[in-house]
């Protein structure tokens, strides 16, 4: 049975995907002090299409999720020619670090359903 997923769980998927691009342990000691240099060094981001693929949703929902995350200061969206590149901000990393456990509890069934064919992502285990 497929459950309806609201855009908040999609935000969780998107932020965790962006953290994965950084290649860091989200729960390492002293992360907050290292974060500015990590973000500057790695300049990691993904295409808007990658976010759409991660959340497995349509263009409308992808835009809604990205617009909301951008309004909250958790991501930045840069336009490069005809493409969009999505990057997580320091606030975005700290937000998902702080609330991942909450999201995992609140949306456990939706997360398991979303990733049922590909296996649960590293951040859920």
């Amino acid at each position: 049975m497929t459950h309806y997923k609201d855009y908040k769980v999609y935000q969780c998927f998107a932020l965790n995907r962006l953290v994965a691009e950084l290649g860091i342990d989200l729960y390492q000691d002293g992360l907050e002090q290292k974060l500015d240099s990590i973000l500057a060094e790695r300049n990691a981001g993904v295409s808007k299409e990658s976010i759409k693929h991660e959340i497995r949703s349509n263009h409308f929902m992808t835009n809604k999720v990205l617009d909301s995350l951008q309004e909250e200061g958790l991501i930045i969206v840069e336009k490069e020619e005809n493409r969009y590149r999505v990057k997580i901000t320091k606030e975005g990393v700290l937000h998902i670090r702080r609330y991942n456990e909450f999201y995992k509890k609140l949306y456990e069934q939706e997360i398991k359903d979303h990733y049922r064919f590909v296996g649960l992502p590293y951040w859920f285990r």
Side-chain angles (χ1 to χ4, degrees):
M1 177 180 187
T2 301
H3 292 82
Y4 170 75
K5 293 188 251 335
D6 71 22
Y7 78 99
K8 287 290 189 186
V9 74
Y10 288 131
Q11 288 180 328
C12 172
F13 298 154
L15 288 173
N16 276 294
R17 172 68 172 85
L18 291 166
V19 167
E21 278 303 302
L22 292 173
I24 61 170
D25 174 1
L26 188 57
Y27 303 105
Q28 65 183 280
D29 289 334
L31 176 64
E32 193 165 346
Q33 292 75 27
K34 302 174 195 173
L35 210 43
D36 288 323
S37 63
I38 289 171
L39 290 169
E41 285 172 15
R42 303 197 183 171
N43 196 27
V46 299
S47 68
K48 187 175 176 181
E49 192 64 30
S50 292
I51 296 294
K52 182 178 169 185
H53 177 73
E54 181 69 27
I55 68 175
R56 294 188 199 118
S57 192
N58 59 31
H59 178 74
F60 174 77
M61 182 59 84
T62 301
N63 284 339
K64 182 176 178 176
V65 168
L66 293 177
D67 289 347
S68 176
L69 289 170
Q70 195 167 18
E71 286 173 15
E72 293 178 41
L74 304 179
I75 65 166
I76 57 172
V77 178
E78 299 172 341
K79 187 170 184 177
E80 297 175 346
E81 297 178 19
N82 292 335
R83 299 176 187 260
Y84 293 92
R85 187 151 186 84
V86 182
K87 297 179 180 181
I88 196 163
T89 63
K90 181 177 183 176
E91 293 78 12
V93 174
L94 297 175
H95 172 88
I96 203 62
R97 179 182 181 176
R98 190 174 310 120
Y99 292 106
N100 246 358
E101 289 302 315
F102 172 73
Y103 290 138
K104 285 175 7 182
K105 288 178 182 155
L106 183 63
Y107 297 114
E108 180 179 8
Q109 190 55 49
E110 291 84 352
I111 294 169
K112 287 178 177 178
D113 181 54
H114 187 78
Y115 291 104
R116 72 184 173 276
F117 296 116
V118 296
L120 290 171
Y122 77 94
W123 56 267
F124 189 79
R125 298 181 187 132

